[in-house]
Amino acid sequence: MKNLRGQEVLALVYRLFLVFFFYQIARFLFWFFNRELVKFDGISEYFKLSYYGTAFDTTAILYVNSVFILLSIIPIVINTKKNYQKFLFFWYFITNGITYAFNFGDMIYYRFSQARLTSAVFSVAKNESNIGKVFFNAVVQNPFVIVSFILMMLFWVFLYKKVKVEEEKPKNLIKYFASSVVILCVTALLVVGGIRGDFKHSTRPINLVDANKHVSNPLQGNLVLNSVFSFFRTINTNNFKLVSYVDEKFINQEIKPYKLYEREVEKKPNVIIFIMESFGKEYSGAFNRNSNIRDFVSYTPFLDSLAKESLIFTNAFANGRQSIHGMSSVLAGIPSLTDAFTSSPYSNQKIQSIVSVCNDLGYDTSFYHGAPNGSMGFQGFGNILGFKNYFGKNEYNNDKDFDGMWAIWDEPFFQYFAKNIGKKQPFMSTMFSASSHDPFKVPEKYQNKFKSGPLQIHVPIQYTDYALKKFFETASRQSWYQNTIFVITADHTNQIHYEEYQKAMNRFAIPLLFFSPNPKYNLKGIDDRFAQQIDIYPTLADLLGYNKKIRSWGRSLVSDKNEGHMIIHSDSINEQIVIGNYVYIFDGKDVTGIYDKTDLALSKNLFSKNLNPEQKLGILKTKAWYQDYMDRVINRKLY
């Protein structure tokens, strides 16, 4: 064992176990000091939340202890010497002690912020000159918190010293270094997996919204999280800052962040929203009738046929760049700017959305996505929005239909969707497709069914279009079908073939379709106005006859109010906002470019000293909208 470093590995495991143990104690104390704000049903639910919190603890603990782990197992022969172990002791408690204190600070801070500590605290602190006084006052008013921290640290030191590493000198250096290399490799692999949240290709590194996939109430997400995780995960990701360019009167008059529609609806329709993975406008013939693209080929024959019976918008755009951005834009009317709202420190708040509107109207609400539950952050954000039910790969419960990479194949999962919804009416359900995703494969039995194209995505686009066709065949036989409004759009775009779609604006051009077999909703025609994902939520609120004010930066596409609009998108560096006849490029401080909205390539910057009145007003509106967005997100006014 001397040459294989067994006692050192066991001591390291024990020391890391202690960190996990004390993080769970901190979680309990966090709940205890905030039990009026974070509630759960019984001790079993608390243990469930604590268990799920272990994934977030693992990431936080490995962030903090990665250097300690390396120092513990790096083969430098002196590892077991008394002075080296003493050095490890101090390194361990200084790093863990400082970060562990974050959790205790949150026991107080949470009462005011209603959210876990994030890196946004820096933005708050730099504008305050009395932080020291505030901290001292908090300690004085909450002595049990600081006493609890001191007691925990003393107890931690006591337990740490219970396991000691005895000094030993390796007799066989070859075995010593060989075993060390193996230990280092295995440890590195485990650390990477622990920081990401798991080893699955289909799941991105866990983020704050993922805590909400395990909860029955969005507020419980703060119990699943820990303050170290939320702080480190948001470092260098927060470009959300309050700005002041115009007064509130200008915002209310020109931006109109609240909308009111007064449509009378006798019988509430069911609603089904399809958010189609990577379904760019480029792939569909129905949305390219006037694009004048030479030798254009459509890969969506069913969607094209359905469009003839629908209300379609041929100039619609995505408000984000990733799948989770599409979810927040379509369902909640919240676009993602340079930093995504869903991965920001402010995502875990009460949000008005088409989900909350439908819940308010007594609808049964559900979200379907065939990937492993929690993939893409959908389940967590879905719980924040208030979906009553979530159906993923776990609920489908048949891995024979799993594509081996991302999710259940679209065709069987769409059939599951068609047969599972409608048990309670009225209902609102969202289906997020999955198969038209990299690595762009289709089930083996369909390998030769679809025509190939110049892009890899062309075959899976046809497969998902076929799955959509089969869904409608099944849905049309269901009792709920006749009184249902269907919305079909994309989360974002993907591979580009035609030069037209390489243009800056067209890189986020998507299809947008409203269909109902019930003629009373009058959802037919072709509309060439600019539209966007964030228009879907107010449009549906209007169609449902929700006669209350809604918070929305989009507008109803079926209203006769002729509302003004702003098309919002970010290229991850600048915000691109279409107002009236122009596209404004905004860097968070200044408008740096103005382009004619027909200049989709953004090739000719019209910005100059001699701006016309519309351009001057457009600059003010751009800044006003950005100001209102930041204010509502940061100050938690999205409801």
Side-chain angles (χ1 to χ4, degrees), residues 211-227:
N212 286 81
K213 73 180 182 182
H214 305 299
V215 304
S216 57
N217 183 307
L219 292 177
Q220 293 174 342
N222 292 300
L223 187 59
V224 176
L225 291 169
N226 65 75
S227 305

Side-chain angles (χ1 to χ4, degrees), residues 604-623:
K604 186 178 180 181
N605 193 343
L606 304 176
F607 192 89
S608 69
K609 294 181 180 179
N610 300 313
L611 300 175
N612 65 41
E614 181 183 350
Q615 292 168 339
K616 290 178 181 178
L617 180 59
I619 290 174
L620 275 179
K621 285 185 175 181
T622 296
K623 292 184 174 183

Side-chain angles (χ1 to χ4, degrees), residues 359-414:
N359 285 338
D360 194 23
L361 291 171
Y363 278 59
D364 183 53
T365 54
S366 57
F367 187 91
Y368 287 73
H369 184 229
N373 293 39
S375 177
M376 305 291 183
F378 292 158
Q379 188 171 15
F381 191 62
N383 277 351
I384 291 174
L385 294 182
F387 277 108
K388 295 176 182 176
N389 301 287
Y390 183 95
F391 297 90
K393 180 174 177 285
N394 292 2
E395 288 72 21
Y396 185 80
N397 196 29
N398 185 357
D399 284 354
K400 290 181 179 179
D401 295 328
F402 182 58
D403 66 10
M405 179 66 74
W406 288 104
I408 302 300
W409 292 112
D410 280 347
E411 183 194 4
F413 198 72
F414 281 18

Side-chain angles (χ1 to χ4, degrees), residues 64-133:
V64 175
N65 288 278
S66 56
V67 174
F68 173 77
I69 294 170
L70 179 63
L71 292 172
S72 297
I73 59 177
I74 189 171
I76 53 176
V77 182
I78 64 169
N79 304 67
T80 61
K81 289 185 177 295
K82 187 175 182 180
N83 286 339
Y84 189 83
Q85 286 297 313
K86 186 177 291 187
F87 164 73
L88 288 180
F89 171 87
F90 282 106
W91 183 281
Y92 177 92
F93 278 106
I94 289 173
T95 55
N96 280 299
I98 292 172
T99 51
Y100 192 58
F102 291 1
N103 293 297
F104 286 77
D106 243 1
M107 294 172 194
I108 303 170
Y109 183 67
Y110 179 77
R111 301 174 191 175
F112 304 99
S113 66
Q114 299 294 302
R116 282 285 192 171
L117 176 73
T118 67
S119 61
V121 70
F122 291 136
S123 298
V124 176
K126 73 178 183 181
N127 295 314
E128 302 293 337
S129 58
N130 60 344
I131 293 298
K133 292 181 180 179

Side-chain angles (χ1 to χ4, degrees), residues 191-375:
V191 168
V192 170
I195 289 177
R196 288 189 79 256
D198 65 26
F199 295 93
K200 298 176 184 175
H201 180 276
S202 62
T203 306
R204 53 126 173 83
I206 57 173
N207 218 315
L208 272 67
V209 297
D210 291 296
N212 286 81
K213 73 180 182 182
H214 305 299
V215 304
S216 57
N217 183 307
L219 292 177
Q220 293 174 342
N222 292 300
L223 187 59
V224 176
L225 291 169
N226 65 75
S227 305
V228 181
F229 174 90
S230 59
F231 180 83
F232 280 101
R233 261 300 195 252
T234 54
I235 288 178
N236 296 325
T237 63
N238 181 30
N239 285 319
F240 290 82
K241 295 179 176 62
L242 293 173
V243 294
S244 180
Y245 298 121
V246 301
D247 58 28
E248 286 296 316
K249 183 178 179 181
F250 184 89
I251 290 174
N252 292 331
Q253 289 179 344
E254 299 293 340
I255 306 304
K256 295 182 175 62
Y258 288 95
K259 308 292 192 299
L260 177 63
Y261 304 103
E262 299 175 305
R263 185 186 301 265
E264 293 297 326
V265 177
E266 292 181 9
K267 184 180 180 182
K268 302 297 184 188
N270 304 307
V271 175
I272 292 177
I273 302 172
F274 276 93
I275 304 177
M276 308 293 280
E277 173 65 48
S278 301
F279 251 63
K281 173 185 167 184
E282 175 181 355
Y283 313 134
S284 177
F287 295 87
N288 282 279
R289 291 169 181 164
N290 299 318
S291 61
N292 297 318
I293 297 175
R294 185 179 178 182
D295 299 324
F296 179 85
V297 177
S298 176
Y299 297 93
T300 59
F302 174 74
L303 188 62
D304 294 346
S305 65
L306 185 65
K308 296 176 183 177
E309 306 298 324
S310 307
L311 173 61
I312 68 170
F313 294 85
T314 58
N315 286 301
F317 300 94
N319 297 113
R321 305 173 300 280
Q322 299 173 12
S323 295
I324 189 67
H325 303 175
M327 185 178 178
S328 68
S329 299
V330 170
L331 300 178
I334 303 173
S336 289
L337 304 188
T338 301
D339 284 349
F341 165 74
T342 46
S343 58
S344 77
Y346 311 103
S347 59
N348 192 1
Q349 60 174 291
K350 192 175 183 181
I351 300 170
Q352 190 182 47
S353 66
I354 189 57
V355 185
S356 68
V357 162
C358 287
N359 285 338
D360 194 23
L361 291 171
Y363 278 59
D364 183 53
T365 54
S366 57
F367 187 91
Y368 287 73
H369 184 229
N373 293 39
S375 177

